[in-house]
Amino acid sequence: MASIKETSSDPNDHLILSPEPEHPANLICTLCRNFYNLGWVTGTGGGTSIARDSHIFIAPSGVQKELMQPTNIFVLERSTRSYLRKPPLLKPSACTPLFMAAFDRGAGCCIHTHSQWAVLVTLLVERDANELEQKVEDRCFEIEKIEQIKGIPKGKGKQGMLGFFDRLKVPIIENTAHEEDLTESLEVAMEKYPDSYAVLVRRHGL
């Protein structure tokens, strides 16, 4: 694994060096540490990306999430999809094609976690579909009458947040051997459920 403390002399380092805590390069590192502390990711698993103005900031692959530094961050030119900054010895997140698909639909930030709770709920939905002799691929995670959904917006272009009696639907797609191969099914799910702010991947995560 590449050293996360290696020094960088990239001419575009100014894109990732900032004292601002909410600068994407700093914020990605903070989010990844928080995800690790919450148990949502372990080791080098998961990924995060933030779109800001004309740039896309992408967490690297192969760096432990709790140890990530701003100098590990990749920067992509949004219009050309070409890299402006590539840390030596590192690769961008394998989820990058999925992140770009979400950014193309108006997302500002994408997170990918391996939360055991997310994995568990996909298995429960699969079990229930099998017991009811329904097609697993037609089922999504649905929940209502629970306080926590009141913190989730109703959907793109819609005013307000979900209410206690509303129903939250989160689509589930099937896992693949390689994360980048999830792109097509992710795009289908986002088109079918445009109000959803998340997509679950069965036996994988969120």
Side-chain angles (χ1 to χ4, degrees):
M1 184 179 71
S3 169
I4 64 163
K5 293 184 178 180
E6 90 180 289
T7 58
S8 172
S9 58
D10 191 299
N12 282 327
D13 276 356
H14 65 280
L15 295 173
I16 51 91
L17 298 177
S18 171
E20 178 190 350
E22 294 192 0
H23 183 280
N26 295 326
L27 188 55
I28 285 174
C29 298
T30 299
L31 289 171
C32 286
R33 283 192 293 271
N34 289 341
F35 298 159
Y36 172 82
N37 291 331
L38 288 167
W40 292 0
V41 296
T42 56
T44 63
T48 307
S49 182
I50 296 175
R52 181 172 179 177
D53 300 326
S54 62
H55 298 145
I56 305 290
F57 297 80
I58 305 167
S61 176
V63 174
Q64 290 179 241
K65 294 299 179 284
E66 74 276 21
L67 302 177
M68 193 175 295
Q69 301 294 327
T71 51
N72 302 138
I73 303 301
F74 287 76
V75 183
L76 196 70
E77 177 66 43
R78 188 166 192 165
S79 59
T80 63
R81 303 203 175 192
S82 58
Y83 284 99
L84 300 175
R85 185 180 189 279
K86 298 176 69 173
L89 306 179
L90 295 177
K91 295 180 180 180
S93 171
C95 298
T96 299
L98 286 77
F99 296 154
M100 297 307 297
F103 290 140
D104 287 343
R105 289 162 176 77
C109 175
C110 297
I111 64 173
H112 168 49
T113 78
H114 293 164
S115 164
Q116 60 184 328
W117 309 116
V119 174
L120 178 60
V121 78
T122 67
L123 297 177
L124 292 174
V125 171
E126 180 181 40
R127 181 203 62 184
D128 290 349
N130 289 332
E131 289 180 352
L132 295 171
E133 297 183 348
Q134 297 176 340
K135 291 184 178 180
V136 174
E137 58 270 23
D138 292 339
R139 293 290 300 272
C140 60
F141 171 62
E142 301 183 42
I143 192 168
E144 62 184 359
K145 297 180 181 178
I146 188 166
E147 187 70 11
Q148 284 74 9
I149 67 172
K150 291 166 67 175
I152 299 175
K154 289 184 176 181
K156 185 177 179 179
K158 297 181 179 180
Q159 295 293 320
M161 316 294 275
L162 291 175
F164 180 75
F165 294 103
D166 290 326
R167 173 165 290 202
L168 171 68
K169 293 184 178 182
V170 181
I172 302 172
I173 60 177
E174 297 301 325
N175 195 27
T176 58
H178 305 287
E179 288 180 327
E180 58 268 28
D181 294 336
L182 291 165
T183 306
E184 184 176 351
S185 57
L186 174 68
E187 291 174 332
V188 171
M190 289 190 292
E191 291 296 328
K192 186 175 180 180
Y193 297 91
D195 291 337
S196 180
Y197 287 86
V199 175
L200 289 158
V201 183
R202 199 180 319 280
R203 303 172 185 271
H204 187 145
L206 178 71

